[in-house]
Amino acid sequence: MVEVSYNIQAAVDDKHNLVVATHTINRNYKNAVSAIAIEAKENLAIETYTALVDKGYHNGQEIEACKQANITTIVAHPDQGKSNEKGTQPGYLVSKFTYNKETNTYTCPQGQILTTTGSWHKKTRDKENTSYQFQKYCTPACKTCLVKDLCTSRKGGRKIDRSQYADAIEENHQRYKNNPQLYRKRQEINEHIFGTIKRKWGYNYTDLIGLEKVNGEHSLIMLVYNIKRSINILGVPELIAKLKKWKSPYKAKVLLWQKTDYLKGISAFIFGKIKLAT
């Protein structure tokens, strides 16, 4: 038996708690934030907005893509690097090094300057099939540093990589630090929807198989959620009245279908047409 998992994405507005964009993917969602963020912007037909995003989506390339699409992100910033008993200690994580944009250098907690040759290097993530460029920073002062063992276990000293998306990442991180109360709203808004769908409605698995089919199934679930939410906001009479006045922006298509009935060896074909919105 083969088990297939899908990641469900949903963008929810903070005013009405309605789903404004949704899709399903079968890959790591770390590379998915820009697609749904742009989809939400297009669906709402707005110039810009602020996206509150879970830290699991933190990815420099995706944050940069949102920036280019005029979308302001506030994504929780995971700690850069890890501390361990035999190497980097908490006080010497990358986040403890200060970057100077004017000189393109880093200053370590001991006040030493890490510089770069200016050369760009390429790194590829095989699992995600993505790549990015980065510069390396180091200092010869590591050789005589009295607390080197607290900073790194590398014989050659501490090295820091700075990716091409570092500026966008740092801008996002500053917004995150400046807006803690705003960011907390993410859980209140987004997690409520998934809690309703999974816990109350029991939608813990899909009935269909295949990305396209599952995406359609999931979209229907979100449509039902929006309808129920709209009823709570407007009430049934007003919702029906608005639907009657709604002018669909979609072009109608005509579908020709046939039905074959077999009776005593005689085939009868019935043709008709229905209108479908696409």
Side-chain angles (χ1 to χ4, degrees):
M1 180 178 178
V2 179
E3 183 175 330
V4 181
S5 298
Y6 300 93
N7 284 321
I8 296 174
Q9 319 294 312
V12 185
D13 84 296
D14 68 337
K15 183 177 182 180
H16 302 294
N17 286 8
L18 290 168
V19 179
V20 295
T22 181
H23 59 228
T24 307
I25 60 176
N26 57 358
R27 66 181 190 280
N28 190 323
Y29 59 84
K30 196 171 184 179
N31 300 307
V33 67
S34 64
I36 193 164
I38 293 172
E39 181 182 323
K41 179 185 174 186
E42 293 174 347
N43 289 346
L44 294 172
I46 54 180
E47 293 297 322
T48 185
Y49 71 96
T50 298
L52 309 177
V53 190
D54 180 75
K55 68 178 181 180
Y57 286 88
H58 194 283
N59 179 299
Q61 187 172 0
E62 294 295 303
I63 292 173
E64 176 67 27
C66 288
K67 179 181 178 180
Q68 295 302 319
N70 201 26
I71 298 171
T72 301
T73 59
I74 300 181
V75 190
H77 191 286
D79 286 333
Q80 289 183 292
K82 297 180 180 179
S83 61
N84 58 76
E85 293 181 0
K86 297 181 180 180
T88 305
Q89 298 302 298
Y92 292 87
L93 294 172
V94 174
S95 58
K96 305 299 181 181
F97 287 64
T98 304
Y99 178 70
N100 188 317
K101 191 171 184 179
E102 293 182 0
T103 59
N104 191 21
T105 60
Y106 277 94
T107 302
C108 80
Q110 291 296 315
Q112 299 297 333
I113 306 299
L114 285 75
T115 60
T116 176
T117 62
S119 298
W120 287 94
H121 308 270
K122 184 178 181 180
K123 186 171 184 178
T124 302
R125 296 190 180 99
D126 294 332
K127 291 183 179 180
E128 300 170 8
N129 195 29
T130 59
S131 62
Y132 65 92
Q133 292 185 315
F134 66 95
Q135 290 182 327
K136 295 180 179 181
Y137 298 76
C138 60
T139 175
C142 287
K143 296 177 181 179
T144 56
C145 182
L146 297 177
V147 294
K148 175 178 174 293
D149 292 342
L150 299 178
C151 185
T152 180
S153 58
R154 290 172 54 92
K155 291 183 179 180
R158 184 64 180 268
K159 294 184 184 298
I160 292 181
D161 297 344
R162 182 178 177 84
S163 82
Q164 66 188 97
Y165 308 116
D167 287 345
I169 292 174
E170 289 168 359
E171 290 169 5
N172 169 83
H173 185 44
Q174 192 61 46
R175 288 192 294 269
Y176 170 69
K177 290 199 301 182
N178 293 342
N179 298 278
Q181 293 183 338
L182 176 61
Y183 185 76
R184 286 194 201 98
K185 293 182 66 176
R186 187 202 66 80
Q187 282 189 318
E188 300 172 13
I189 300 168
N190 197 277
E191 298 302 333
H192 171 75
I193 285 183
F194 288 109
T196 299
I197 292 172
K198 293 177 69 176
R199 304 304 178 198
K200 285 192 174 182
W201 298 359
Y203 187 60
N204 294 308
Y205 60 89
T206 63
D207 291 320
L208 302 176
I209 298 176
L211 186 59
E212 184 176 3
K213 292 179 181 179
V214 172
N215 193 49
E217 181 181 353
H218 166 235
S219 296
L220 286 174
I221 293 291
M222 289 300 185
L223 174 61
V224 171
Y225 180 92
N226 275 354
I227 292 174
K228 290 175 70 69
R229 179 66 187 148
S230 297
I231 290 173
N232 290 336
I233 296 171
L234 300 171
V236 174
E238 187 174 350
L239 177 59
I240 292 176
K242 285 184 178 293
L243 288 173
K244 287 181 178 180
K245 295 179 181 179
W246 181 61
K247 293 182 179 179
S248 173
Y250 306 109
K251 294 181 180 179
K253 282 189 176 181
V254 175
L255 174 67
L256 185 65
W257 58 274
Q258 72 176 38
K259 177 182 178 184
T260 306
D261 288 332
Y262 291 91
L263 179 61
K264 296 180 181 180
I266 301 176
S267 298
F269 293 89
I270 304 172
F271 292 87
K273 64 180 181 179
I274 59 174
K275 290 184 177 180
L276 298 178
T278 59

